[in-house]
Amino acid sequence: MSTLRALAKAQALAAGVAQPVATVRHLHLSDRPLVLVPLTMAGEANAPLAALVGDAPDAARLLIVPQPRNRDQRFAFAAELAGIVLPYLDSFRGDTEAVAVDRGRDVRHRYLDAPQLVVPNPGGVTFLRLFGRSTRFRRADGDYPVHPAVPLLGRWLTFFAERAEQPGSSALLALTDALTLHWATGQSAVEDQHLPAVLGWLDPPPGLTGAQAAARAEDPARCPPAGPATDPEFDNRVLAPAIAAYAAAYDDEAARRSAYAELELALRGQLAPTWELVWRGLGLLAALPPGARVAGRWAGDRDAFTGHAEHVDAGGGPQPRRDGAVAAAVRLHRLERAAASYAVQRAYDDPLVMAEHRLTGEAFVGDVTLADPARVDDTGKRPVLRPRIQVVTTEPVAVPVGATLYSPARPGQKARVVFLTPAADGKTEVVLELSGGMGRGLTAPPGTVPEVGERLCLTTLSDGFLPAGSFPTPEETPWTHGGPPVAVPVLSDPAPGPAAGPADGDPAEEWA
């Protein structure tokens, strides 16, 4: 936890309401997200019990599994869920746009928009990942066949679960994580996984503080858990008798319908409050203006959606159960690059996020007091434009002479530190030499060089392109890491020599 977030949490506790830790929204919000609120049965590994699904607040559809231990009912639930999710995904597979690649020498096409799934908390993401793994390898023929849509649903759920691992992706959102990314509550990170408590801090009812609203939200009678786990008291008092009544009435059609209706009513009562809270939380996020680089990250989600759709259309196989050595290394490298880029982009988009880096010395803010936009460096083979500016700051400057700095206002421009001079009143004068972002001529276009009086943020964080690492092909990977086995040469028999054991001694004698 950063210093500013810890301070914001303390302020939230003192003020009784959550405190903002972002000035812009750092994720994309779809105009028509698909909200999924799942419930699982306690004591069973990822056994679906019910789900409330829909792409509008008034379009909720309840799916239930009366006997979660029954395999046929579980896959019937999966087929019914596929009947909702797959048409929603197909609705985005319409118009495409051309995207230049290979420096304009070629083009590729991607969909203009992509689907977005929203679950209440990270537990919902885990449910989708495990449910996708349990369904994507099923077959529509042979032993224990399932509906043909079930394995396709599993592949898409796995796709969204993998996108949720990608830093900056908005394809699958856990709402509690999305809210706490922009606001700090006065409770612990574990308590922040409870959606009613988080919304109690963000928007407490009149007359209550955030702590009081969060305490009320802990009462399952007022606010049932946001899933996927159910409340133990509800399990013992309501759910178990309802499932037992449905099982006992299996041979009586009228009694079975009545028991099903009671079970459906009980489960809807558990899911409906969370459904309303999810849409309320999405409304709070939508009130924030999007960051400048959110659209670029959403373009990456659209690329991934387009690529997976093409893979499915071409008859490609499902995702493997586990990655090989090279694939795992490539995935880890890709996630690390995405995490680094996402951290920089958030800082560039949001002064509050950049303030955390100012505290660590990775950035500082100062005023431009001198500027020489026409300076030309003619010491090389040809003259080049190298303007210099002087920035005066009251913040500590932890960078050495010769370091390269960047400004969020001009991300394509580099500023090399030439001089660092302590001034009066605790100020520091920093002389910078600029390069890049000013065209190819010897005259800087207007606005490309900071002017005197401009307040400038400078940081060591770079939003430049991060080259991908190089990894061996599977054929070149050592056998210890999943590559092809290496033939071991057969050694010739050694020349006869003295016996290896004790000579002419007691047979019971131990080796020395």
Side-chain angles (χ1 to χ4, degrees), residues 1-22 176-188 192 197-198 201-202 210 352 356:
M1 183 185 300
S2 67
T3 303
L4 284 184
R5 181 168 283 272
L7 176 62
K9 280 184 167 292
Q11 290 178 334
L13 184 61
V17 66
Q19 299 296 304
V21 290
T176 52
D177 287 350
L179 291 172
T180 53
L181 179 67
H182 300 84
W183 288 277
T185 67
Q187 58 189 10
S188 69
D192 279 344
V198 172
W201 280 98
L202 265 64
L352 270 181
E356 298 180 359

Side-chain angles (χ1 to χ4, degrees), residues 216-386:
R216 291 183 58 183
E218 294 292 339
D219 182 1
R222 294 177 181 269
C223 299
T230 53
D231 177 57
E233 183 177 353
F234 168 78
D235 290 344
N236 297 327
R237 183 174 53 84
V238 178
L239 183 60
I243 292 179
Y246 179 85
Y250 188 78
D251 296 329
D252 187 336
E253 181 68 21
R256 184 159 58 91
R257 289 183 177 179
S258 175
Y260 184 91
E262 291 182 4
L263 180 61
E264 185 179 39
L265 182 63
L267 291 173
R268 184 180 293 275
Q270 289 290 296
L271 291 169
T274 301
W275 174 267
E276 296 173 359
L277 291 176
V278 169
W279 289 102
R280 179 178 158 199
L282 290 175
L284 293 176
L285 287 172
L288 292 174
R293 291 164 178 79
V294 169
R297 295 194 293 271
W298 181 243
D301 285 326
R302 292 192 286 128
D303 283 330
F305 172 68
T306 303
H308 188 68
E310 292 175 349
H311 175 77
V312 170
D313 292 344
Q319 299 90 335
R321 285 183 173 87
R322 60 183 62 87
D323 290 329
V326 176
V330 171
R331 177 199 287 265
L332 178 61
H333 179 65
R334 184 180 70 249
L335 295 179
E336 288 175 343
R337 291 173 63 218
S341 177
Y342 181 48
V344 175
Q345 290 184 6
R346 288 185 61 228
Y348 274 37
D349 283 350
D350 196 332
L352 270 181
V353 179
M354 181 62 79
E356 298 180 359
H357 298 282
R358 291 167 63 182
L359 286 177
T360 61
E362 295 176 286
F364 64 90
V365 173
D367 298 318
V368 178
T369 57
L370 295 174
D372 183 5
R375 179 180 178 274
V376 174
D377 183 359
D378 56 3
T379 59
K381 294 182 179 180
R382 60 183 181 85
V384 290
L385 182 66
R386 290 293 183 266

Side-chain angles (χ1 to χ4, degrees), residues 38-49 68 74 77 123-135 228:
L39 278 183
T40 58
M41 184 177 182
E44 291 288 326
N46 201 241
L49 176 63
R74 288 163 69 163
F77 166 86
V125 176
T126 302
F127 169 82
L128 295 186
R129 177 176 58 83
L130 295 177
F131 197 60
R133 188 175 69 179
S134 68
T135 54

Side-chain angles (χ1 to χ4, degrees), residues 13-54:
L13 184 61
V17 66
Q19 299 296 304
V21 290
T23 59
V24 297
R25 177 166 32 90
H26 294 284
L27 48 84
H28 173 82
L29 284 187
S30 174
D31 295 333
R32 189 169 59 93
L34 184 69
V35 174
L36 194 152
V37 183
L39 278 183
T40 58
M41 184 177 182
E44 291 288 326
N46 201 241
L49 176 63
L52 207 55
V53 193

